[in-house]
Amino acid sequence: MPHATDAPSASPASLVGAEYEVEVGPVAHGGHCIARTDEGRVLFVRHTLPGERVIARITEGDEESRFLRADAVRILTPAKDRIEAPCPFSGPGKCGGCDWQHAKPGAQRRFKGEVIAEQLQRLAGLTPEEAGWDGTVMPAEGDKLPAGEVPAWRTRVQYAVDAEGHPGLRRHRSHEVERIDHCLIAAPAVTELGVEKREWPGMASVEAIAATGSHDRQVVLTPRPGARLPLVELDRPVSVLRVDERDGAVHRVHGRGFVRERADGRTYRVGNGGFWQVHPQAADTLVKAVMQGLMPRKGETALDLYCGVGLFAGAIAERVGEQGAVLGIESSKRAAEDARHNLGDLPRVRIEHGRVDRVLPRTGITETDLVVLDPPRAGAGKQTVQHLASLSPRRLAYVACDPAALARDIAYFRDAGYRVRTLRAFDLFPMTHHVECVAILEPAAKGA
């Protein structure tokens, strides 16, 4: 007979569905605002704005959770920055793709700036002034629209497909599919394909890609286990790729296996649905910011880490001239192959395939003039930052899609003897909480 102490403990009571009337506090990283219940429980609340009073319904959490997630289901006191969400699929329990449809465009950029400032202070101990940043988040060219109008910027949209074959987008933090007939932030060339107009039996997802540097269009199909591919008949000519459900490999079914993108006067091949900046202005915007910050000189050497298909490596190579040298490192085999193809006319560029933290130490490089790093959302990490600082570059350009990872790595750079010279922020993901930053770093002694 088990002792009383061996009896299973009761699970903490779920609070999902409970409602609280709360005063909403500041915006937080992740597309939500912070609020507290009368008992002091911390809520991360979506679909609200700072300063509002709302009824918040719990969507995740129990009696023992450190914090609870919630949706604002009723707005009691609206903020002056609130507007009616232009998208009919935006709101509590609906599509999770956009975070700020209910906020004026200028307010969205201000919120993103507040998040960047908060992360810099909390994780790197820096004020905006100390980071060389004026606190603004710049819109992309053509995106500064009146409240209620939505820029159609997303050149790559991954539609989830429900069990009946209907396309849609996933709900926030859920595998459930919100059926849609039109995505407002999808680029016109994506919408013109007509993915939302037809059914996709047996598919788990359909990704639509519309290149900005050419008329190339592509769909990438991910079938459910054992399903056969449908006959793809869309409203525009399109290439078709298939993701192998066993190993994730991408195979060409019909047409080209790549799309052609263009930036900084060069054309880049991007194969197998590989990574390219989603906003049509992003690649040129970021290259310009990086080159203005680094100011490459003839004959210099440079590293381009997490180099993708060679965007920054190509831009630097053009500027350092024939006597310069650029090494790019990329973990995706296909992207590395594309980079070699894209920069084949520049013999001063070498591309290595592999993880940065493994390949960089094996190169034997002991010094370099310039570094560009565009790491994944998790950041570069302490080990890689320390290695880069040991190479004594005169300047580094850090391209970041996550302000928390950027702030953490800036702190590592500071400990390794580097300071932020300038920081710029760009709203390349309107209506979402995402933001892109470019930080230029240099030896701290130079700025002393």
Side-chain angles (χ1 to χ4, degrees):
M1 183 173 179
H3 296 287
T5 54
D6 294 331
S9 58
S11 298
S14 171
L15 293 174
V16 173
E19 295 186 352
Y20 297 87
E21 182 176 333
V22 294
E23 195 83 33
V24 178
V27 66
H29 185 28
H32 48 252
C33 297
I34 297 174
R36 290 182 182 271
T37 68
D38 291 340
E39 300 82 30
R41 288 185 176 276
V42 176
L43 306 184
F44 289 167
V45 189
R46 284 172 57 82
H47 308 292
T48 187
L49 300 175
E52 293 188 325
R53 190 157 191 87
V54 305
I55 300 298
R57 180 181 297 155
I58 305 304
T59 57
E60 289 183 43
D62 56 44
E63 290 282 0
E64 296 184 2
S65 299
R66 285 194 308 115
F67 59 85
L68 305 172
R69 296 185 182 275
D71 283 341
V73 294
R74 197 145 50 96
I75 312 302
L76 304 178
T77 308
K80 62 180 178 59
D81 290 318
R82 174 172 285 277
I83 60 171
E84 187 74 26
C87 178
F89 308 108
S90 176
K94 297 182 180 180
C95 172
C98 291
D99 306 292
W100 298 118
Q101 287 269 351
H102 57 288
K104 294 177 181 177
Q108 295 181 35
R109 293 190 288 272
R110 189 175 72 250
F111 297 153
K112 295 181 186 190
E114 291 171 3
V115 168
I116 295 169
E118 190 270 337
Q119 296 297 307
L120 285 172
Q121 182 64 57
R122 186 169 67 87
L123 298 174
L126 294 177
T127 64
E129 293 76 18
E130 290 169 332
W133 177 44
D134 64 6
T136 62
V137 176
M138 297 298 296
E141 185 179 345
D143 278 359
K144 200 165 185 180
L145 299 173
E149 293 187 27
V150 176
W153 57 271
R154 194 169 187 90
T155 61
R156 294 169 177 233
V157 177
Q158 186 169 53
Y159 298 92
V161 181
D162 65 19
E164 286 76 44
H166 298 289
L169 297 169
R170 296 204 184 276
R171 294 169 183 164
H172 183 62
R173 295 176 61 84
S174 170
H175 292 293
E176 294 184 19
V177 178
E178 178 75 13
R179 294 183 184 180
I180 67 169
D181 55 26
H182 177 55
C183 175
L184 285 184
I185 65 172
V190 168
T191 301
E192 288 170 3
L193 289 175
V195 171
E196 303 104 324
K197 297 178 183 177
R198 62 161 293 170
E199 296 182 357
W200 299 90
M203 297 301 101
S205 69
V206 178
E207 183 177 14
I209 299 171
T212 55
S214 66
H215 294 295
D216 295 345
R217 303 181 196 194
Q218 196 173 73
V219 294
V220 184
L221 305 177
T222 302
R224 297 181 187 276
R228 298 179 61 184
L229 288 186
L231 181 64
V232 178
E233 293 180 338
L234 292 174
D235 295 344
R236 294 289 188 278
V238 65
S239 298
V240 180
L241 305 181
R242 176 186 187 276
V243 178
D244 192 315
E245 64 268 24
R246 294 167 299 180
D247 59 8
V250 181
H251 305 283
R252 183 176 66 86
V253 176
H254 168 75
R256 289 194 182 101
F258 59 87
V259 296
R260 292 162 297 177
E261 300 282 2
R262 192 157 178 83
D264 194 45
R266 295 184 65 88
T267 297
Y268 291 86
R269 184 181 80 181
V270 184
N272 287 4
F275 175 79
W276 185 261
Q277 291 288 343
V278 179
H279 194 292
Q281 302 293 328
D284 276 323
T285 297
L286 295 174
V287 166
K288 184 177 180 181
V290 167
M291 295 304 113
Q292 287 177 341
L294 291 181
M295 294 192 296
R297 302 165 185 164
K298 296 294 184 184
E300 286 192 314
T301 60
L303 296 174
D304 180 11
L305 308 182
Y306 319 93
C307 72
V309 299
L311 174 64
F312 296 115
I316 294 175
E318 296 279 10
R319 290 160 174 81
V320 299
E322 294 182 2
Q323 301 306 311
V326 181
L327 171 65
I329 301 176
E330 169 55 40
S331 62
S332 163
K333 184 177 181 181
R334 177 57 198 258
E337 291 171 354
D338 284 339
R340 293 186 187 111
H341 169 86
N342 294 331
L343 307 177
D345 62 318
L346 300 171
R348 53 192 173 275
V349 178
R350 187 170 98 248
I351 304 295
E352 295 284 351
H353 165 238
R355 284 178 42 169
V356 167
D357 59 346
R358 294 176 182 173
V359 174
L360 185 58
R362 296 202 305 261
T363 62
I365 293 173
T366 57
E367 60 181 2
T368 192
D369 296 306
L370 303 171
V371 174
V372 181
L373 61 162
D374 185 4
R377 194 165 298 281
K382 187 174 184 178
Q383 178 183 340
T384 296
V385 166
Q386 289 177 335
H387 191 135
L388 292 175
S390 74
L391 304 180
S392 303
R394 69 170 179 85
R395 281 193 184 172
L396 303 98
Y398 190 125
V399 182
C401 61
D402 185 274
L406 172 65
R408 282 193 297 268
D409 283 346
I410 282 175
Y412 296 143
F413 272 115
R414 179 192 57 217
D415 295 343
Y418 277 76
R419 72 172 192 114
V420 184
R421 176 185 174 88
T422 61
L423 188 147
R424 298 173 69 185
F426 303 96
D427 188 16
L428 301 179
F429 309 91
M431 304 293 147
T432 79
H433 75 272
H434 299 290
V435 63
E436 201 85 15
C437 296
V438 176
I440 305 298
L441 297 102
E442 65 182 8
K446 187 172 181 179

